[in-house]
Amino acid sequence: MYAFGVCRQMRIRVPRIAALNWLSSRTLLRYAHNLPFATIEVEEISGSQPAEVQNLVQGNWTGTTSWKTIVDPLNGEPFIQVAEVDETGIQPFVESLSKCPKHGLHNPFKAPERYLMLGDISNKAAHMLSLPKVSDFFTRLIQRVAPKSYQQALGEVYVTQKFLENFSGDQVRFLARSFAVPGNHLGQQSHGFRWPYGPVAIITPFNFPLEIPVLQLMGALYMGNKPILKVDSKVSIVMDQMIRLLHHCGLPVEDVDFINSDGKTMNKLLLEANPQMTLFTGSSRVADKLAVDLKGRIKLEDAGFDWKILGPDVQKVDYIAWICDQDAYACSGQKCSAQSIIFMHENWFKSPLISRMKDLALRRKLEDLTIGPVLTFTTEAMLEHMNKLLQIPGAEVLFGGKALENHSIPPIYGALKPTAIYIPLDEMLKDDNYELVTREIFGPFQVVTDYKENQLPKVLEALERMHAHLTAAVVSNDPLFLQEVIGKSVNGTTYAGLRARTTGAPQNHWFGPAGDPRGAGIGTPEAIKLVWSCHREIIYDIGPLPSHWEIPPAT
């Protein structure tokens, strides 16, 4: 989700935070000991000193009789114990959600002071995350469980901090702004309000263990809901600590439940607790199952085979190569917005672009986590997919295509060099090949194809046949070309122009899919209102009655 481009701004705007990358580990440990909310020391988490992740229900942090062991994704050492709830332990969570009425913890007619309270909590939490020692704590914690470069992890913390800053003070109650329309006679007015759902659920993935859950959790709270949050157990330690920070900033401990469980247990909890709305971020397969199980009471930000089209106007080759490298391989390609395929105009294909992209990919190394473990695909699975693609006539490896070497990443995860596979456009469009070529590989893997001037309709056909429509980029400053492609495509977050990218979920614009009524957004007032509230109309009709009114004839 997060674009490296935002990090470039941080070098100017938050130099103190970025500078922490160079502090000694001894200094950082001394900082961590001073954090009033933290229950762990990031650098001390190890097999000999494993960290523990608890559940939060009805205001109490609890353990369990069954602990799941999480292994360090860089060396396979067991280093975190997660208190996972099984199907026999869900009742306290079901009861907690059932205590929240459908009209929510607050709404425009009930406990409006909570809007102000949450604005104050956001302000305090934003300030906390702006402190170098706190920002560094979460940055390094993210790196431990979802390995990515320090700058990428820091960017996630930065976006979260700016989001909380954006919804400080009166901004929370402004989300519940209503409107009125004059009626048909004196004393009649209709008023539209944003209304909470009450008990809700949030399920988020591993790749952004702070940004996605915090933004959706706070959005749910702002609108008056009582959420239960489940984060992928591999990374849930991050939100364990973040919820403790929110409590430190004044969030009532009963307002949020936090559960660690496997998917089967969470599915059972959802069916029994019957939340009024569930937000799911993750795979399309699970999303479609939940949509059926929950009878449509769901919002989704599911998978995206995200595309980039390079138009006819070739310019700034080095810059475009850098953006392509960032979009495809930052966070080892484990972003829902990662560049999955590039359609290169023949002018670009003849340029040095691919050679420059290869050079940039070769800079990435495990030592600084600019390339790292893939947490949802094994190395063998990614290479098997590559070999299937190479059976297509005309396919070839442009660069990469080999496993990482000299590492201790456990075999349950993947370790692949940044990879690009060329597939001819006409071959891609064949029915026997299309589904294979457009399969999303959540790792450092992309497809490259080219098109001639008269083949743009074939490119647009390829886009039309795709199932997921999250992010896209149209790289061109030709206004007629932009108009043609944007007008005949769907993706909900589309960047257009010379500096267009596919990755980028800062706090200042909508991020989410389009073309699906279940689609969820994140980060903006519009996204929060769409996902976490519904419309309620109150029609006041207080009179007076006309003088000399009489009962009219039956109709």
Side-chain angles (χ1 to χ4, degrees):
M1 290 177 63
Y2 181 76
F4 189 80
V6 176
C7 290
R8 291 183 293 106
Q9 298 173 13
M10 286 191 289
R11 292 178 189 147
I12 299 172
R13 299 178 63 179
V14 284
R16 291 181 61 204
I17 296 177
L20 281 170
N21 199 14
W22 300 302
L23 288 178
S24 70
S25 59
R26 180 175 297 180
T27 302
L28 294 175
L29 284 172
R30 187 171 68 249
Y31 276 148
H33 281 298
N34 295 327
L35 298 180
F37 62 88
T39 60
I40 61 171
E41 297 289 348
V42 175
E43 303 300 336
E44 294 179 1
I45 302 174
S46 64
S48 60
Q49 298 185 64
E52 290 187 357
V53 181
Q54 295 182 309
N55 301 291
L56 175 65
V57 61
Q58 300 183 33
N60 298 307
W61 288 100
T62 63
T64 182
T65 57
S66 175
W67 295 81
K68 178 177 180 178
T69 299
I70 306 298
V71 300
D72 190 319
L74 290 175
N75 59 30
E77 181 184 49
F79 76 140
I80 297 174
Q81 297 291 320
V82 179
E84 282 208 346
V85 175
D86 61 22
E87 293 184 35
T88 64
I90 64 174
Q91 202 55 39
F93 297 90
V94 173
E95 292 173 358
S96 182
L97 278 185
S98 68
K99 292 178 181 178
C100 178
K102 293 178 182 177
H103 53 258
L105 300 178
H106 63 267
N107 62 54
F109 289 76
K110 172 189 173 182
E113 63 276 6
R114 281 181 53 88
Y115 293 114
L116 304 182
M117 177 193 76
L118 288 164
D120 186 50
I121 291 167
S122 293
N123 182 53
K124 292 176 181 176
H127 173 70
M128 288 284 288
L129 285 181
S130 74
L131 299 175
K133 60 184 178 181
V134 177
S135 175
D136 181 75
F137 171 84
F138 281 105
T139 298
R140 291 180 297 116
L141 185 57
I142 290 168
Q143 285 189 293
R144 292 300 307 270
V145 293
K148 57 184 81 173
S149 71
Y150 189 93
Q151 199 70 16
Q152 286 285 323
L154 175 63
E156 186 176 343
V157 179
Y158 175 78
V159 167
T160 305
Q161 187 268 330
K162 297 304 291 185
F163 169 85
L164 292 167
E165 194 174 85
N166 286 349
F167 291 97
S168 298
D170 287 327
Q171 297 305 314
V172 175
R173 64 170 155 194
F174 289 164
L175 290 170
R177 190 190 306 271
S178 60
F179 63 86
V181 177
N184 293 331
H185 50 255
L186 184 63
Q188 185 185 74
Q189 278 190 338
S190 60
H191 291 249
F193 295 94
R194 299 310 301 177
W195 214 255
Y197 290 106
V200 300
I202 303 168
I203 304 172
T204 63
F206 74 92
N207 55 332
F208 285 85
L210 182 72
E211 181 182 342
I212 297 177
V214 170
L215 269 59
Q216 295 292 14
L217 177 69
M218 297 307 293
L221 288 168
Y222 293 155
M223 300 312 296
N225 302 290
K226 163 68 181 283
I228 180 171
L229 172 66
K230 179 198 177 313
V231 182
D232 188 314
S233 293
K234 291 190 292 291
V235 300
S236 60
I237 191 170
V238 178
M239 278 308 295
D240 174 299
Q241 297 299 296
M242 184 64 198
I243 291 172
R244 295 175 193 273
L245 181 149
L246 292 172
H247 290 164
H248 177 75
C249 293
L251 181 70
V253 292
E254 302 87 1
D255 279 14
V256 174
D257 290 336
F258 178 61
I259 187 171
N260 297 286
S261 73
D262 61 19
K264 184 180 178 182
T265 298
M266 189 64 189
N267 196 88
K268 181 177 176 64
L269 188 155
L270 293 174
L271 294 177
E272 292 196 15
N274 196 29
Q276 293 299 108
M277 217 290 291
T278 295
L279 180 281
F280 175 79
T281 304
S283 76
S284 295
R285 179 183 60 82
V286 176
D288 289 339
K289 180 185 187 303
L290 286 175
V292 174
D293 290 348
L294 301 178
K295 298 180 173 61
R297 294 191 306 275
I298 193 167
K299 288 289 186 182
L300 306 174
E301 187 202 310
D302 55 356
F305 188 81
D306 304 302
W307 50 264
K308 176 179 287 181
I309 298 177
L310 305 184
D313 44 329
V314 176
Q315 50 186 315
K316 308 294 183 184
V317 174
D318 284 348
Y319 179 81
I320 301 303
W322 176 73
I323 288 292
C324 287
D325 177 74
Q326 287 297 127
D327 281 348
Y329 305 127
C331 300
S332 301
Q334 295 171 104
K335 300 183 182 185
C336 50
S337 57
Q339 176 179 293
S340 302
I341 186 169
I342 313 177
F343 297 89
M344 291 187 183
H345 189 279
E346 58 184 330
N347 295 346
W348 279 103
F349 203 67
K350 296 172 185 175
S351 77
L353 178 63
I354 292 177
S355 175
R356 303 286 175 81
M357 288 167 56
K358 179 179 179 180
D359 292 341
L360 293 172
L362 290 172
R363 298 189 309 170
R364 296 185 174 274
K365 55 187 184 293
L366 190 58
E367 289 77 11
D368 60 6
L369 296 179
T370 50
I371 193 70
V374 176
L375 302 190
T376 53
F377 281 87
T378 64
T379 306
E380 291 73 19
M382 290 185 284
L383 291 176
E384 180 183 0
H385 178 70
M386 181 190 74
N387 290 329
K388 288 179 180 179
L389 290 176
L390 292 176
Q391 299 303 310
I392 297 173
E396 63 175 297
V397 177
L398 296 176
F399 52 84
K402 296 180 180 180
L404 291 176
E405 301 166 344
N406 303 317
H407 65 80
S408 54
I409 295 171
I412 59 171
Y413 298 138
L416 186 72
K417 293 181 179 180
T419 296
I421 306 296
Y422 173 78
I423 306 290
L425 179 60
D426 286 334
E427 291 293 333
M428 172 189 173
L429 291 173
K430 291 180 178 179
D431 290 341
D432 291 342
N433 297 331
Y434 185 81
E435 292 298 325
L436 175 65
V437 174
T438 58
R439 180 190 176 199
E440 182 184 20
I441 300 297
F442 213 55
F445 193 100
Q446 66 174 321
V447 171
V448 176
T449 191
D450 62 330
Y451 67 98
K452 300 185 183 302
E453 186 74 32
N454 62 355
Q455 288 185 306
L456 182 60
K458 290 187 175 182
V459 174
L460 297 175
E461 176 194 342
L463 308 186
E464 181 67 19
R465 290 168 62 181
M466 292 179 186
H467 303 300
H469 306 289
L470 183 54
T471 71
V474 190
V475 182
S476 176
N477 277 350
D478 180 339
L480 296 181
F481 183 84
L482 292 176
Q483 182 173 281
E484 178 77 5
V485 175
I486 293 172
K488 295 181 179 178
S489 58
V490 178
N491 295 42
T493 305
T494 300
Y495 296 87
L498 178 66
R499 302 184 65 174
R501 62 197 195 274
T502 64
T503 56
Q507 72 294 335
N508 61 300
H509 69 65
W510 164 281
F511 183 90
D516 187 339
R518 305 169 302 173
I522 191 170
T524 65
E526 293 77 18
I528 292 171
K529 287 183 279 189
L530 171 75
V531 174
W532 295 117
S533 68
C534 57
H535 180 86
R536 185 182 187 188
E537 194 86 0
I538 308 292
I539 299 92
Y540 289 98
D541 204 345
I542 61 176
L545 290 174
S547 57
H548 312 299
W549 182 88
E550 296 180 357
I551 296 175
T555 59

